[in-house]
Amino acid sequence: MTRWGRLCAAADVEELLRELRGAADDEDAAYDRAAALKALAAAPPRLWVLLDRAARLQDAAPPAPDDSEPLRLLLAAMDRDGRTRQAAVEELAVHGGPLVASALALRTADWVDQVRDPALAALLRRTAPDEAAAAVRLLLRLRGRSRAAHTPEAYRGVLAAPEARRAVRALAADADPLTRRFGVELALQLGEFVRGDLVRTALRDPDQVCRRLCAERLLQMDPDQAGRLLWARSAAVRELAVAALPDDVPAARLTAPLADPARIVRAQARWRLYSRGEPRPWRTAGSCCAAARRARRGWWPGW
């Protein structure tokens, strides 16, 4: 890990801010500034929020906005003086890239109207996949502030345009869980996911919310996929799959759900049998679990 990577990972925002200002002031540190920008681009969104707060609390005068030095421009956008932030936003508005999108997203929650309004207007024009991901990561962390409560929805409306569909796909595959949920919800709203996308997300996505959302949509589109979803890693998805099985499903097919490790899946399977007035197909939990293990190995008749 590089020096800047270690500083970002340590999350000591005061030390990081001092180092960033030192690199910005050093005319001979072009390589160091490039490394700092690279580390900031990979930093978690919460670090940006903490860094912005620390910059307001420290009494320091960063260099004036300079479009030839991106790091100086980013630091000026976090300055405690509103006029400096406003000048920085005006410069950022004519640039692009994920770092610019992150800086503009921070300023959409600014307490000064002359900073907040142009920052929002500039951000809504940035819908490239990398810019959208950087913006949404921060907008979702800032939505608890009254001044930025409606900004994610405004940005969602921009991303709903046909020319921004690549950005929606990128958001739905982002490594940040909150951003990926935002992208998956928007992709489902726009009908961007085909059946293969829904199956893949419902079975393999690391986020439970994304898995459940795609499973619900998949079962609405094609209830016959319920049998496939019985083997999902998520208990919530397996419960949905059991509930979506047809009413005339053979009792033997509920063997594995009856022995599922998750209580909600077992309860759903028992309810399916009870609602039809049928007894459980095996009398003991041990025989039920053994049958389920045979079914999971792929040779139980009726699967």
Side-chain angles (χ1 to χ4, degrees):
M1 186 181 294
T2 65
R3 177 173 73 95
W4 290 108
R6 288 192 296 271
L7 286 169
C8 290
D12 186 346
V13 290
E14 293 185 358
E15 181 182 0
L16 175 59
L17 188 58
R18 285 194 299 268
E19 293 291 331
L20 289 172
R21 285 173 171 165
D25 290 337
D26 189 351
E27 295 292 342
D28 299 325
Y31 178 82
D32 206 27
R33 287 194 293 273
L37 291 171
K38 184 177 180 180
L40 286 175
R46 177 165 172 76
L47 183 65
W48 281 79
V49 178
L50 295 176
L51 192 64
D52 183 48
R53 183 183 304 167
R56 296 199 307 271
L57 296 176
Q58 288 188 7
D59 188 10
D66 183 354
D67 58 2
S68 65
E69 290 293 348
L71 181 57
R72 296 178 183 175
L73 190 56
L74 292 179
L75 290 174
M78 299 179 185
D79 189 56
R80 64 189 305 176
D81 184 87
R83 289 167 296 184
T84 302
R85 295 196 309 277
Q86 182 180 1
V89 166
E90 293 172 356
E91 289 287 350
L92 288 168
V94 299
H95 291 78
L99 286 170
V100 170
S102 296
L104 290 173
L106 282 176
R107 298 280 59 85
T108 60
D110 202 279
W111 58 97
V112 178
D113 293 345
Q114 291 84 350
V115 178
R116 183 175 62 254
D117 294 343
L120 178 59
L123 183 65
L124 295 180
R125 296 194 297 268
R126 281 156 177 77
T127 58
D130 56 347
E131 293 176 329
V136 170
R137 290 183 200 125
L138 278 170
L139 292 178
L140 294 178
R141 268 75 182 184
L142 297 170
R143 60 184 171 183
R145 303 182 184 182
S146 59
R147 291 179 295 270
H150 303 293
T151 306
E153 291 305 315
Y155 199 58
R156 185 195 296 266
V158 172
L159 294 175
E163 59 271 16
R165 296 302 170 87
R166 286 180 58 247
V168 175
R169 283 277 183 171
L171 292 173
D174 197 80
D176 177 54
L178 290 179
T179 304
R180 190 164 64 255
R181 290 178 193 177
F182 180 93
V184 167
E185 290 173 355
L186 184 55
L188 293 175
Q189 174 188 331
L190 299 174
E192 191 68 16
F193 274 6
V194 297
R195 184 172 304 170
D197 298 317
L198 296 172
V199 171
R200 182 172 58 254
T201 306
L203 291 176
R204 303 190 184 96
D205 196 274
D207 184 70
Q208 180 175 347
V209 175
C210 294
R211 292 195 299 264
R212 185 178 180 91
L213 287 172
C214 288
E216 290 175 345
R217 179 61 59 85
L218 177 64
L219 292 172
Q220 291 173 2
M221 292 174 52
D222 186 3
D224 291 340
Q225 294 290 332
R228 188 173 186 178
L229 295 184
L230 287 173
W231 310 107
R233 60 185 294 184
S234 170
V237 172
R238 296 196 302 274
E239 180 196 12
L240 288 172
V242 174
L245 289 172
D247 292 337
D248 58 350
V249 60
R253 197 172 185 186
L254 294 173
T255 301
L258 285 168
D260 196 276
R263 180 181 299 177
I264 58 173
V265 182
R266 297 196 302 270
Q268 185 64 245
R270 288 194 298 268
W271 171 252
R272 294 303 306 271
L273 290 176
Y274 175 78
S275 62
R276 299 191 313 190
E278 295 185 12
R280 290 176 57 177
W282 284 274
R283 294 184 180 179
T284 66
S287 60
C288 184
C289 291
R293 287 194 293 271
R294 291 195 296 272
R296 288 185 183 277
R297 287 198 292 267
W299 62 271
W300 181 257
W303 283 84

